[in-house]
Coordinates of all heavy atoms in Angstrom, one line a residue:
Y1 N -13.9 -12.7 -1.1 CA -14.2 -13.8 -1.8 C -13.0 -14.4 -2.5 O -12.1 -13.7 -3.1 CB -15.2 -13.7 -2.8 CG -16.7 -13.6 -2.2 CD1 -17.2 -12.3 -1.9 CD2 -17.4 -14.6 -2.1 CE1 -18.5 -12.1 -1.5 CE2 -18.7 -14.5 -1.7 CZ -19.2 -13.3 -1.2 OH -20.5 -13.1 -0.8
V2 N -12.9 -15.7 -2.6 CA -12.1 -16.5 -3.5 C -13.0 -16.9 -4.6 O -13.9 -17.6 -4.3 CB -11.4 -17.7 -2.9 CG1 -10.5 -18.4 -4.0 CG2 -10.4 -17.2 -1.8
E3 N -12.8 -16.5 -5.8 CA -13.7 -16.6 -6.8 C -13.1 -17.3 -8.1 O -12.0 -17.2 -8.5 CB -14.1 -15.1 -7.2 CG -15.4 -15.1 -8.1 CD -16.0 -13.7 -8.0 OE1 -15.6 -12.9 -9.0 OE2 -16.8 -13.3 -7.1
L4 N -14.0 -18.1 -8.7 CA -13.7 -18.9 -9.9 C -14.7 -18.6 -11.0 O -15.8 -19.3 -11.1 CB -13.7 -20.4 -9.5 CG -13.4 -21.4 -10.8 CD1 -11.9 -21.1 -11.3 CD2 -13.6 -22.7 -10.4
P5 N -14.4 -17.7 -11.9 CA -15.1 -17.5 -13.2 C -14.8 -18.5 -14.2 O -13.6 -18.7 -14.4 CB -15.0 -16.1 -13.5 CG -14.1 -15.5 -12.5 CD -13.4 -16.5 -11.8
V6 N -15.7 -19.0 -15.0 CA -15.3 -19.7 -16.2 C -16.2 -19.1 -17.4 O -17.3 -19.2 -17.4 CB -15.7 -21.2 -16.0 CG1 -15.4 -22.0 -17.3 CG2 -15.0 -21.9 -14.8
L7 N -15.4 -18.4 -18.3 CA -16.0 -17.6 -19.2 C -15.8 -18.0 -20.6 O -14.6 -18.5 -20.9 CB -15.5 -16.1 -19.1 CG -15.6 -15.6 -17.6 CD1 -14.9 -14.1 -17.6 CD2 -17.0 -15.5 -17.2
A8 N -16.8 -17.9 -21.5 CA -16.5 -18.0 -22.9 C -16.1 -16.7 -23.4 O -16.6 -15.7 -23.1 CB -17.9 -18.5 -23.6
V9 N -14.9 -16.7 -24.2 CA -14.3 -15.5 -24.8 C -14.7 -15.6 -26.3 O -14.1 -16.4 -27.1 CB -12.8 -15.4 -24.5 CG1 -12.3 -14.2 -25.1 CG2 -12.6 -15.4 -23.0
I10 N -15.4 -14.7 -26.8 CA -16.0 -14.6 -28.2 C -15.4 -13.4 -28.9 O -15.5 -12.3 -28.5 CB -17.5 -14.7 -28.3 CG1 -18.1 -15.8 -27.4 CG2 -17.9 -14.6 -29.7 CD1 -19.6 -15.7 -27.1
N11 N -14.7 -13.8 -30.0 CA -14.0 -12.6 -30.7 C -15.0 -11.8 -31.4 O -15.8 -12.2 -32.2 CB -13.0 -13.2 -31.6 CG -12.0 -12.1 -32.1 OD1 -11.7 -11.1 -31.4 ND2 -11.6 -12.4 -33.4
L12 N -15.0 -10.4 -31.3 CA -15.9 -9.5 -32.0 C -15.1 -8.8 -33.1 O -15.8 -8.4 -34.1 CB -16.5 -8.5 -31.1 CG -17.3 -9.0 -29.8 CD1 -17.7 -7.8 -28.9 CD2 -18.5 -9.8 -30.4
A13 N -13.8 -8.6 -32.9 CA -12.9 -8.0 -33.9 C -11.6 -8.6 -33.6 O -11.4 -9.5 -32.8 CB -12.9 -6.5 -33.8
R14 N -10.6 -8.1 -34.3 CA -9.2 -8.7 -34.2 C -8.7 -8.8 -32.8 O -8.2 -9.8 -32.3 CB -8.2 -8.0 -35.1 CG -6.9 -8.6 -35.0 CD -6.0 -8.2 -36.2 NE -4.5 -8.8 -36.0 CZ -3.7 -8.6 -36.9 NH1 -3.9 -8.1 -38.0 NH2 -2.5 -9.3 -36.7
N15 N -8.8 -7.7 -32.1 CA -8.4 -7.7 -30.6 C -9.4 -7.5 -29.5 O -9.3 -7.6 -28.4 CB -7.3 -6.5 -30.5 CG -6.1 -6.7 -31.3 OD1 -5.5 -7.9 -31.3 ND2 -5.7 -5.7 -32.0
L16 N -10.6 -7.4 -29.9 CA -11.8 -7.1 -29.1 C -12.6 -8.3 -28.9 O -13.0 -8.9 -29.9 CB -12.6 -5.9 -29.7 CG -13.8 -5.5 -28.8 CD1 -13.4 -4.8 -27.5 CD2 -14.7 -4.6 -29.5
N17 N -12.9 -8.7 -27.7 CA -13.6 -9.9 -27.3 C -14.7 -9.7 -26.3 O -14.6 -8.7 -25.4 CB -12.8 -11.1 -27.1 CG -11.6 -10.6 -26.1 OD1 -11.9 -10.4 -24.9 ND2 -10.4 -10.7 -26.6
L18 N -15.8 -10.5 -26.3 CA -16.9 -10.5 -25.4 C -16.6 -11.6 -24.5 O -16.3 -12.8 -24.8 CB -18.1 -10.7 -26.2 CG -19.4 -11.0 -25.3 CD1 -19.7 -9.7 -24.5 CD2 -20.6 -11.5 -26.1
H19 N -16.8 -11.4 -23.1 CA -16.6 -12.4 -22.1 C -18.1 -12.6 -21.5 O -18.7 -11.7 -21.1 CB -15.7 -11.9 -21.0 CG -14.4 -11.7 -21.4 ND1 -13.3 -11.4 -20.5 CD2 -13.7 -11.7 -22.6 CE1 -12.2 -11.2 -21.2 NE2 -12.3 -11.4 -22.4
V20 N -18.3 -13.9 -21.4 CA -19.7 -14.2 -20.8 C -19.7 -15.7 -20.1 O -19.0 -16.5 -20.8 CB -20.8 -14.1 -21.8 CG1 -20.7 -15.0 -22.9 CG2 -22.3 -14.2 -21.1
G21 N -20.3 -15.7 -19.0 CA -20.2 -17.1 -18.2 C -20.6 -17.0 -16.8 O -20.8 -15.9 -16.2
P22 N -20.5 -18.1 -16.1 CA -20.9 -18.1 -14.7 C -19.7 -18.0 -13.8 O -18.5 -18.1 -14.3 CB -21.4 -19.5 -14.6 CG -20.7 -20.4 -15.5 CD -20.4 -19.4 -16.7
Y23 N -19.9 -17.8 -12.6 CA -18.8 -17.7 -11.6 C -19.4 -18.2 -10.2 O -20.5 -18.4 -10.0 CB -18.3 -16.3 -11.3 CG -19.1 -15.4 -10.5 CD1 -19.2 -15.4 -9.1 CD2 -20.0 -14.6 -11.1 CE1 -20.0 -14.6 -8.3 CE2 -20.8 -13.7 -10.3 CZ -20.8 -13.7 -8.9 OH -21.5 -12.9 -8.1
V24 N -18.4 -18.8 -9.5 CA -18.8 -19.3 -8.1 C -17.7 -18.8 -7.2 O -16.4 -18.6 -7.5 CB -18.8 -20.9 -8.1 CG1 -17.4 -21.4 -8.5 CG2 -19.1 -21.2 -6.8
G25 N -18.1 -18.2 -6.1 CA -17.2 -17.6 -5.1 C -17.4 -18.3 -3.7 O -18.4 -18.8 -3.4
F26 N -16.2 -18.4 -3.0 CA -16.3 -18.7 -1.7 C -15.9 -17.7 -0.7 O -14.9 -17.0 -0.9 CB -15.2 -19.9 -1.5 CG -15.1 -20.5 -0.1 CD1 -16.0 -21.3 0.4 CD2 -14.0 -20.1 0.7 CE1 -15.8 -21.8 1.7 CE2 -13.8 -20.6 2.0 CZ -14.7 -21.4 2.4
L27 N -16.7 -17.5 0.3 CA -16.6 -16.3 1.2 C -15.5 -16.7 2.3 O -15.7 -17.6 3.1 CB -17.9 -16.0 1.9 CG -17.9 -14.8 2.8 CD1 -17.4 -13.4 2.1 CD2 -19.2 -14.7 3.5
A28 N -14.5 -16.1 2.3 CA -13.3 -16.4 3.2 C -13.3 -15.5 4.4 O -12.7 -15.9 5.4 CB -11.9 -16.2 2.4
G29 N -13.9 -14.3 4.4 CA -13.9 -13.5 5.6 C -14.8 -12.3 5.3 O -15.2 -11.9 4.1
V30 N -15.3 -11.7 6.5 CA -16.2 -10.7 6.6 C -15.7 -9.7 7.7 O -15.5 -10.1 8.7 CB -17.7 -10.9 6.8 CG1 -18.5 -9.7 6.7 CG2 -18.1 -12.1 5.8
N31 N -15.7 -8.3 7.3 CA -15.3 -7.4 8.4 C -15.9 -6.0 8.1 O -16.4 -5.8 7.0 CB -13.9 -7.3 8.6 CG -13.1 -6.7 7.5 OD1 -13.6 -6.4 6.5 ND2 -11.8 -6.5 7.7
I32 N -15.9 -5.2 9.0 CA -16.3 -3.8 8.9 C -15.2 -2.8 9.3 O -14.6 -3.1 10.3 CB -17.6 -3.5 9.8 CG1 -18.9 -4.4 9.4 CG2 -18.1 -2.0 9.7 CD1 -20.0 -4.2 10.3
T33 N -15.0 -2.0 8.4 CA -14.0 -0.9 8.7 C -14.4 0.5 8.6 O -15.5 0.7 8.1 CB -12.8 -1.1 7.7 OG1 -13.3 -0.9 6.4 CG2 -12.1 -2.4 7.7
D34 N -13.7 1.4 9.3 CA -14.1 2.7 9.3 C -13.0 3.6 8.6 O -11.8 3.6 9.0 CB -14.3 3.3 10.7 CG -14.7 4.7 10.8 OD1 -15.0 5.3 9.8 OD2 -14.7 5.2 12.0
M35 N -13.3 4.1 7.5 CA -12.3 5.0 6.7 C -12.5 6.4 7.0 O -13.5 7.0 6.6 CB -12.5 4.7 5.2 CG -11.4 5.4 4.4 SD -11.4 5.0 2.6 CE -10.0 6.0 2.1
N36 N -11.6 7.0 7.8 CA -11.7 8.3 8.3 C -11.5 9.3 7.2 O -11.0 9.0 6.1 CB -10.8 8.6 9.4 CG -11.0 7.6 10.6 OD1 -12.2 7.5 11.1 ND2 -10.0 7.0 11.0
N37 N -12.0 10.5 7.4 CA -11.9 11.5 6.4 C -10.4 12.0 6.1 O -10.1 12.4 5.0 CB -12.6 12.8 6.8 CG -12.9 13.7 5.7 OD1 -13.2 13.4 4.7 ND2 -12.7 15.1 6.0
D38 N -9.5 11.6 7.0 CA -8.1 11.9 6.9 C -7.3 10.8 6.0 O -6.1 10.8 5.9 CB -7.4 12.2 8.2 CG -7.4 11.0 9.2 OD1 -8.0 10.0 8.7 OD2 -7.0 11.1 10.2
G39 N -8.0 9.7 5.7 CA -7.5 8.7 4.9 C -7.1 7.4 5.7 O -6.7 6.4 5.3

């Protein structure tokens, strides 16, 4: 996906903040892969 979140950042403490909001994503590709046990 190519994704666009737009979030409100609300300060909870001096350096700590809460993120909340919507996102929209555009599906650019789909595939199936096989990850073998040897990596």
